[in-house]
Amino acid sequence: MENPVEPGRTLQNLVEPCSLPLYACLRVAGSRIPDPGSRFDHHIFIARDFSPRIECHGASTVVLDVSGLGRLLGDASAIGAELRRAADGSSADLQIAVARSQAAARLLAIARRGLTVAAGDAAAAVAPLPLDTLRVCMEDDVVGGGRAAARLQTTGVHLETFRRWGLTMVGEIAALPTIELSERMGQQGLALQQLARGVDLTPLVPDPGVPRFVQSMELEWPIDALEPLSFVLARLLDPLSSALERADRGAAALRLDLRLVDRTLHTRVLQLPAAMRDPKVLRTLLLLDLESHPPSHAIDVVTIEIDPVPGRIVQYSLLERALPSPETLATLMARLRALVGEDRCGSPIILDTWRPDRFEMKNFEPSLQSPVSSSQPDVASVSGEVCRAVAASAAKADGTPGTLILRRFRPPVAIRVTVDRGRPLHVAIDRRGMPGGRVERAAGPWRTSGAWWNGSDSAWDRDEWDAALSDGSICRLFHDRLADRWFLDGILD
Amino acid sequence: MPSARRVELESLLRARQLDRTLTSAIPWSTSRDVAATGIASLDRALGGGVARGHLSEVVGPRSSGRTTVLCRMLAAAVNRGEAVALIDTCDRFDPLSAEGAALDLSKLLWVRDVGNALRALKAMNLVLQAGGFGLVAFDVADVHAAALRQFPFTTWMRMARVIEGSQTVAIVVASERLARSPGGVTIALEPPPDASTAQWCGVSDRARFLRAIDLRPRVVGGR
């Protein structure tokens, strides 16, 4: 039997080509700004055809791990040629490099046009490259600002120092003594030297990829009513929901683009409170939103795009009360908003101000936190059927008068008050079903004022009174000192 | 034979889910799930609290403490970890004083300033049909009687049917008795006889403030 192993080769020599990592880099020269749907996206698709392990650097470079392709395609040159063939015609300024490290592949792709293959030592392959290659390589990673941009600025300073030292090639930086370099430039200098030696600073972090969930339908006849549109939405949402389920994803936002017959685009974006993919829920939400915001003309083309997020995993408890599910809540809130208005349903939050009736509405999102244990105010013991509801505290630390439950009138009702030495004696209201009568007992005045520094529109200055009237009702009145008028703020109930 | 006919009639009613009207089918006669109101004496009078899955009502005139009882019930439900909802027909709810009564507002769905009673009724039905709430309150205390008379006759029965068998307590807050389901209760608050029912603190006029008001509830139970 013929011995295929040539004399003089060691086991390491034989195993090496298969076991050593091999990376390829595709780079579009001159592309820095992320542009969805650009030719760079096309190159990402090409990279995915070759390897599931790809990593994007900025908006121009994609590195792929082609270590296992040797058996399928051949050596590094064959892999590079196959990559060039796959990308043939896609872009004239596409630069491809195949090397033993990511860093070397990236540097070669930056410096050399066309296809470059360096299957040997990475440091030797990048040694003759110009110094500026390192700067471009660092720039590729910086898309926005922040810490990376600051690091890039420091890198530029270091490269300028190298130039002043008379260094022009990458290999010359690689040859510098490490300890002295560290003493002068610190960790960043060392990182630059590692890059110059073709050593990977970080392992390849595979990009999970974000598939687009888009469905579109061009209608044969324009639709101008919601009912027929609901069937179209169902037809589009069903496959989208299936695709989300296959990818274990949920929808975080729904974007509905309706191209109308007058060539305008009616766009609605729904931000969902939780990841969901039930097509019926999504369709209901879209229809309810369109009820509130109908398109101006008939619809020609319907496009739905979903922003995917990882699927929601919920561990229910046997011991806690079940809260409404996010899908149920989203549908309920959409229906309520359509019924009563956008800002008239939700949870109130108290604003940090002394202004009366200080609150604003926010989305109702009950959290699954553990119940509060007995934080209720004390209730005085009672006898028989009579009990005394003592509000939280008569004299709160903030100095507000007793926090009894108030039924507030919005806006306050104008009243006529007979006053003796500043104290209300009699209350009369010209509205049916409102309290009124002689003031049996009163407490006050509690004076509050504020926002006078903002101008007269938002300023308030009032004296509040709690008054028990002869008809049995206990009211909160106030005297608006700016307008010199009396109002009924609410009824204590 | 009469007993056989009775059995047949009862089975027919059960098949049509109308067996709540049968005296033999009182759901809480043996064991019933109740929600505490947060007021100890009232809970004692109610036998633990208000029945879940039923429509109850809190009625009384102005300043009788209807809203105080309601807020305490909402706070008690929230403290049990439940979500609560308030359909506020006339936009009377005051979040500030409710927070003072230990109500965690983040778990309160407040539907406010609905505009008219019929729309508020629709909102109430939407919330009840969504399910998952521990307590849903429908405040029509300041709605004119004429507007309430516009409600269809079947309104309250349908509302009771929606929550039947669920863990939800539905509460109607009104000035007069409106409706309750067979298992529900009416908490009738007596009108304050005079200003002395209010608890005033402080000796001088300038230092006086209103501390509390007395509640005089009377429980009118189901069968």
Side-chain angles (χ1 to χ4, degrees):
Chain A
M1 183 180 171
E2 190 180 349
N3 186 1
V5 180
E6 296 170 12
R9 297 196 66 180
T10 63
L11 182 61
Q12 182 66 25
N13 292 144
L14 292 170
V15 172
E16 202 172 56
C18 301
S19 61
L20 282 180
L22 191 65
Y23 296 94
C25 177
L26 306 178
R27 186 172 190 279
V28 183
S31 172
R32 287 276 165 78
I33 303 165
D35 178 18
S38 66
R39 59 194 178 183
F40 180 58
D41 282 351
H42 178 62
H43 295 144
I44 291 176
F45 285 124
I46 293 172
R48 284 197 186 282
D49 286 344
F50 279 79
S51 171
R53 286 170 50 78
I54 72 164
E55 183 180 3
C56 296
H57 295 270
S60 62
T61 307
V62 56
V63 176
L64 56 153
D65 184 358
V66 291
S67 303
L69 284 180
R71 290 180 184 172
L72 188 66
L73 300 178
D75 60 2
S77 302
I79 293 170
E82 194 64 26
L83 271 170
R84 187 170 59 180
R85 191 191 62 74
D88 192 23
S90 65
S91 175
D93 47 5
L94 178 67
Q95 296 162 205
I96 304 172
V98 182
R100 288 294 173 190
S101 71
Q102 299 173 59
R106 290 181 61 188
L107 290 171
L108 289 169
I110 290 167
R112 303 271 168 81
R113 292 198 167 276
L115 172 65
T116 309
V117 178
D121 184 23
V126 299
L129 301 181
L131 204 61
D132 206 38
T133 315
L134 295 176
R135 183 187 56 78
V136 178
C137 184
M138 300 295 269
E139 277 178 357
D140 278 350
D141 283 331
V142 180
V143 176
R147 194 176 292 176
R151 198 164 55 236
L152 179 65
Q153 199 173 3
T154 315
T155 304
V157 173
H158 291 331
L159 289 175
E160 190 55 40
T161 306
F162 288 141
R163 280 198 192 90
R164 284 205 305 274
W165 290 352
L167 307 181
T168 55
M169 313 284 278
V170 170
E172 292 168 347
I173 296 176
L176 289 173
T178 304
I179 296 174
E180 283 80 357
L181 183 67
S182 172
E183 285 172 354
R184 285 166 176 78
M185 293 188 173
Q187 289 300 311
Q188 286 206 343
L190 286 181
L192 271 176
Q193 190 183 45
Q194 293 289 310
L195 189 62
R197 288 173 177 174
V199 176
D200 292 335
L201 301 176
T202 56
L204 186 139
V205 181
D207 187 347
V210 184
R212 293 183 72 196
F213 295 91
V214 186
Q215 285 283 329
S216 185
M217 181 185 286
E218 192 164 348
L219 306 171
E220 291 183 14
W221 300 97
I223 287 178
D224 57 357
L226 286 183
E227 191 179 348
L229 182 65
S230 72
F231 294 100
V232 177
L233 293 179
R235 197 169 153 189
L236 294 176
L237 283 168
D238 282 341
L240 277 174
S241 178
S242 303
L244 285 171
E245 193 169 4
R246 280 197 301 275
D248 189 22
R249 292 286 185 270
L254 268 176
R255 182 189 171 92
L256 176 68
D257 287 327
L258 302 176
R259 202 183 73 193
L260 309 181
V261 289
D262 63 345
R263 298 292 170 190
T264 57
L265 202 63
H266 182 78
T267 302
R268 298 296 305 162
V269 179
L270 297 188
Q271 299 292 339
L272 304 175
M276 56 183 74
R277 57 178 176 237
D278 185 347
K280 288 180 183 171
V281 174
L282 298 178
R283 185 184 59 171
T284 306
L285 292 177
L286 282 175
L287 286 173
L288 286 169
D289 185 70
L290 285 175
E291 271 183 26
S292 307
H293 306 89
S296 56
H297 291 81
I299 301 160
D300 244 355
V301 181
V302 182
T303 306
I304 299 176
E305 182 168 5
I306 286 175
D307 286 350
V309 291
R312 183 163 43 93
I313 300 170
V314 181
Q315 176 64 58
Y316 292 104
S317 169
L318 291 173
L319 306 174
E320 290 179 356
R321 295 275 180 195
L323 294 174
S325 68
E327 289 87 353
T328 306
L329 265 188
T331 311
L332 172 65
M333 294 308 293
R335 288 186 195 281
L336 287 175
R337 284 193 193 105
L339 181 69
V340 301
E342 288 280 341
D343 57 343
R344 292 181 179 176
C345 52
S347 292
I349 46 173
I350 307 294
L351 299 178
D352 186 15
T353 168
W354 291 99
R355 177 180 290 280
D357 202 16
R358 50 183 189 270
F359 74 92
E360 66 180 18
M361 301 293 281
K362 70 174 181 65
N363 282 338
F364 175 61
E365 292 164 350
S367 55
L368 279 169
Q369 58 193 9
S370 58
V372 183
S373 60
S374 67
S375 64
Q376 290 193 29
D378 294 334
V379 177
S381 61
V382 294
S383 57
E385 286 188 339
V386 181
C387 66
R388 180 172 299 159
V390 180
S393 164
K396 283 179 70 178
D398 59 11
T400 54
T403 50
L404 294 157
I405 304 298
L406 185 71
R407 291 181 70 82
R408 192 177 281 278
F409 291 97
R410 298 185 180 93
V413 180
I415 56 176
R416 285 181 284 113
V417 178
T418 309
V419 180
D420 178 31
R421 283 178 290 181
R423 298 185 65 78
L425 287 183
H426 190 273
V427 174
I429 304 176
D430 298 329
R431 272 170 63 173
R432 191 164 56 97
M434 299 296 277
R438 190 179 65 257
V439 176
E440 300 281 341
R441 207 163 187 185
W446 305 98
R447 180 166 296 177
T448 62
S449 65
W452 41 266
W453 52 87
N454 289 339
S456 58
D457 290 344
S458 56
W460 83 94
D461 185 359
R462 53 196 255 170
D463 286 343
E464 288 183 1
W465 292 82
D466 290 337
L469 305 184
S470 56
D471 69 346
S473 52
I474 304 169
C475 306
R476 179 160 296 167
L477 321 172
F478 71 89
H479 175 230
D480 187 342
R481 286 160 47 82
L482 297 174
D484 193 19
R485 292 178 65 189
W486 284 83
F487 292 93
L488 174 64
D489 204 14
I491 295 173
L492 292 158
D493 185 26
Chain B
M1 281 304 288
S3 64
R5 284 185 179 176
R6 180 177 171 178
V7 169
E8 187 184 356
L9 184 61
E10 287 184 358
S11 66
L12 274 173
L13 286 169
R14 285 197 182 92
R16 290 173 182 270
Q17 295 188 335
L18 295 171
D19 53 329
R20 293 279 166 179
T21 55
L22 300 176
T23 53
S24 59
I26 297 173
W28 45 274
S29 57
T30 51
S31 66
R32 60 184 189 131
D33 194 4
V34 293
T37 63
I39 302 173
S41 61
L42 192 56
D43 285 339
R44 277 198 299 275
L46 291 167
V50 186
R52 291 185 185 276
H54 286 281
L55 175 68
S56 298
E57 58 183 349
V58 179
V59 298
R62 276 193 297 265
S63 298
S64 60
R66 301 163 299 186
T67 319
T68 301
V69 172
L70 172 65
C71 284
R72 298 302 297 272
M73 292 173 84
L74 291 170
V78 167
N79 284 342
R80 289 191 295 269
E82 299 169 359
V84 295
L86 169 63
I87 315 301
D88 190 6
T89 311
C90 296
D91 199 14
R92 293 286 189 263
F93 180 70
D94 180 39
L96 195 63
S97 53
E99 195 187 39
L103 172 58
D104 179 5
L105 296 174
S106 67
K107 284 197 173 177
L108 169 70
L109 169 59
W110 181 24
V111 184
R112 58 184 289 251
D113 197 11
V114 181
N116 66 55
L118 284 174
R119 200 181 296 163
L121 184 63
K122 279 184 187 171
M124 177 75 178
N125 277 323
L126 285 176
V127 174
L128 288 178
Q129 282 165 3
F133 287 87
L135 191 147
V136 182
F138 186 33
D139 188 347
V140 288
D142 291 328
V143 177
H144 290 300
L148 291 176
R149 280 197 294 272
Q150 290 178 1
F151 286 0
F153 290 124
T154 54
T155 296
W156 307 112
M157 195 182 79
R158 287 163 67 103
M159 199 177 283
R161 296 288 296 173
V162 170
I163 58 167
E164 192 176 36
S166 72
Q167 291 291 304
T168 304
V169 175
I171 298 288
V172 177
V173 181
S175 53
E176 294 173 350
R177 289 186 191 180
L178 278 179
R180 60 179 163 83
S181 59
V185 293
T186 299
I187 301 171
L189 292 147
E190 300 292 329
D194 51 43
S196 65
T197 53
Q199 303 295 310
W200 303 86
C201 289
V203 287
S204 68
D205 286 346
R206 303 288 291 186
R208 186 186 301 142
F209 61 86
L210 180 61
R211 184 168 178 268
I213 55 174
D214 282 350
L215 300 185
R216 298 172 183 276
R218 189 163 54 85
V219 176
V220 182
R223 286 164 301 179

mmCIF file of all heavy atoms in Angstrom, chain B residues 16 25 27 67 81-82 89 118 124 168 212 216 221:
data_model
loop_
_atom_site.group_PDB
_atom_site.id
_atom_site.type_symbol
_atom_site.label_atom_id
_atom_site.label_comp_id
_atom_site.label_asym_id
_atom_site.label_seq_id
_atom_site.Cartn_x
_atom_site.Cartn_y
_atom_site.Cartn_z
ATOM 1 N N ARG B 16 -80.195 25.441 30.643
ATOM 2 C CA ARG B 16 -80.170 26.784 30.052
ATOM 3 C C ARG B 16 -79.414 27.781 30.932
ATOM 4 O O ARG B 16 -79.495 28.989 30.704
ATOM 5 C CB ARG B 16 -81.597 27.280 29.825
ATOM 6 C CG ARG B 16 -82.307 26.519 28.720
ATOM 7 C CD ARG B 16 -83.771 26.921 28.652
ATOM 8 N NE ARG B 16 -84.468 26.179 27.634
ATOM 9 C CZ ARG B 16 -84.570 26.584 26.364
ATOM 10 N NH1 ARG B 16 -84.023 27.712 26.005
ATOM 11 N NH2 ARG B 16 -85.204 25.866 25.483
ATOM 12 N N ALA B 25 -80.362 25.845 44.536
ATOM 13 C CA ALA B 25 -79.050 26.034 43.892
ATOM 14 C C ALA B 25 -78.371 27.294 44.382
ATOM 15 O O ALA B 25 -77.697 27.967 43.632
ATOM 16 C CB ALA B 25 -79.230 26.088 42.375
ATOM 17 N N PRO B 27 -75.598 29.176 45.488
ATOM 18 C CA PRO B 27 -74.209 28.754 45.343
ATOM 19 C C PRO B 27 -73.403 28.885 46.620
ATOM 20 O O PRO B 27 -72.438 28.182 46.817
ATOM 21 C CB PRO B 27 -73.675 29.685 44.252
ATOM 22 C CG PRO B 27 -74.569 30.877 44.310
ATOM 23 C CD PRO B 27 -75.907 30.382 44.730
ATOM 24 N N THR B 67 -67.942 56.374 48.960
ATOM 25 C CA THR B 67 -66.649 56.340 48.274
ATOM 26 C C THR B 67 -65.556 55.834 49.198
ATOM 27 O O THR B 67 -64.602 55.190 48.746
ATOM 28 C CB THR B 67 -66.306 57.754 47.755
ATOM 29 O OG1 THR B 67 -67.493 58.352 47.230
ATOM 30 C CG2 THR B 67 -65.281 57.699 46.665
ATOM 31 N N GLY B 81 -53.190 41.415 45.877
ATOM 32 C CA GLY B 81 -52.479 41.163 44.630
ATOM 33 C C GLY B 81 -53.384 41.136 43.420
ATOM 34 O O GLY B 81 -52.980 40.673 42.354
ATOM 35 N N GLU B 82 -54.577 41.657 43.563
ATOM 36 C CA GLU B 82 -55.519 41.623 42.447
ATOM 37 C C GLU B 82 -55.485 42.948 41.690
ATOM 38 O O GLU B 82 -55.125 43.988 42.247
ATOM 39 C CB GLU B 82 -56.938 41.375 42.962
ATOM 40 C CG GLU B 82 -57.089 40.055 43.679
ATOM 41 C CD GLU B 82 -58.414 39.925 44.415
ATOM 42 O OE1 GLU B 82 -59.209 40.881 44.385
ATOM 43 O OE2 GLU B 82 -58.639 38.887 45.029
ATOM 44 N N THR B 89 -68.244 57.217 36.086
ATOM 45 C CA THR B 89 -69.103 57.839 35.074
ATOM 46 C C THR B 89 -68.981 59.358 35.073
ATOM 47 O O THR B 89 -68.927 59.975 34.011
ATOM 48 C CB THR B 89 -70.567 57.440 35.335
ATOM 49 O OG1 THR B 89 -70.616 56.030 35.516
ATOM 50 C CG2 THR B 89 -71.461 57.836 34.186
ATOM 51 N N LEU B 118 -74.728 55.456 29.481
ATOM 52 C CA LEU B 118 -74.779 54.286 28.599
ATOM 53 C C LEU B 118 -73.384 53.899 28.119
ATOM 54 O O LEU B 118 -73.051 52.718 28.025
ATOM 55 C CB LEU B 118 -75.685 54.577 27.401
ATOM 56 C CG LEU B 118 -77.184 54.526 27.703
ATOM 57 C CD1 LEU B 118 -77.993 54.975 26.504
ATOM 58 C CD2 LEU B 118 -77.598 53.114 28.107
ATOM 59 N N MET B 124 -68.084 49.258 31.353
ATOM 60 C CA MET B 124 -68.182 48.280 32.443
ATOM 61 C C MET B 124 -68.269 46.861 31.878
ATOM 62 O O MET B 124 -67.588 45.940 32.351
ATOM 63 C CB MET B 124 -69.423 48.611 33.284
ATOM 64 C CG MET B 124 -69.707 47.647 34.407
ATOM 65 S SD MET B 124 -68.553 47.897 35.751
ATOM 66 C CE MET B 124 -69.140 46.700 36.933
ATOM 67 N N THR B 168 -64.354 37.537 40.095
ATOM 68 C CA THR B 168 -64.517 38.990 40.099
ATOM 69 C C THR B 168 -65.681 39.410 40.996
ATOM 70 O O THR B 168 -66.727 38.767 41.000
ATOM 71 C CB THR B 168 -64.783 39.483 38.664
ATOM 72 O OG1 THR B 168 -63.715 39.040 37.839
ATOM 73 C CG2 THR B 168 -64.876 40.996 38.608
ATOM 74 N N ALA B 212 -62.401 62.766 60.263
ATOM 75 C CA ALA B 212 -63.018 61.547 59.745
ATOM 76 C C ALA B 212 -64.526 61.730 59.717
ATOM 77 O O ALA B 212 -65.067 62.677 60.295
ATOM 78 C CB ALA B 212 -62.651 60.354 60.628
ATOM 79 N N ARG B 216 -72.264 54.476 58.769
ATOM 80 C CA ARG B 216 -73.353 53.719 59.383
ATOM 81 C C ARG B 216 -73.893 52.743 58.347
ATOM 82 O O ARG B 216 -74.940 52.972 57.747
ATOM 83 C CB ARG B 216 -74.448 54.666 59.858
ATOM 84 C CG ARG B 216 -73.957 55.635 60.925
ATOM 85 C CD ARG B 216 -74.978 56.693 61.253
ATOM 86 N NE ARG B 216 -74.433 57.632 62.220
ATOM 87 C CZ ARG B 216 -74.434 57.427 63.529
ATOM 88 N NH1 ARG B 216 -74.950 56.325 64.030
ATOM 89 N NH2 ARG B 216 -73.913 58.315 64.343
ATOM 90 N N GLY B 221 -78.502 41.416 52.865
ATOM 91 C CA GLY B 221 -77.891 40.279 52.197
ATOM 92 C C GLY B 221 -78.810 39.638 51.199
ATOM 93 O O GLY B 221 -79.973 40.016 51.038
#
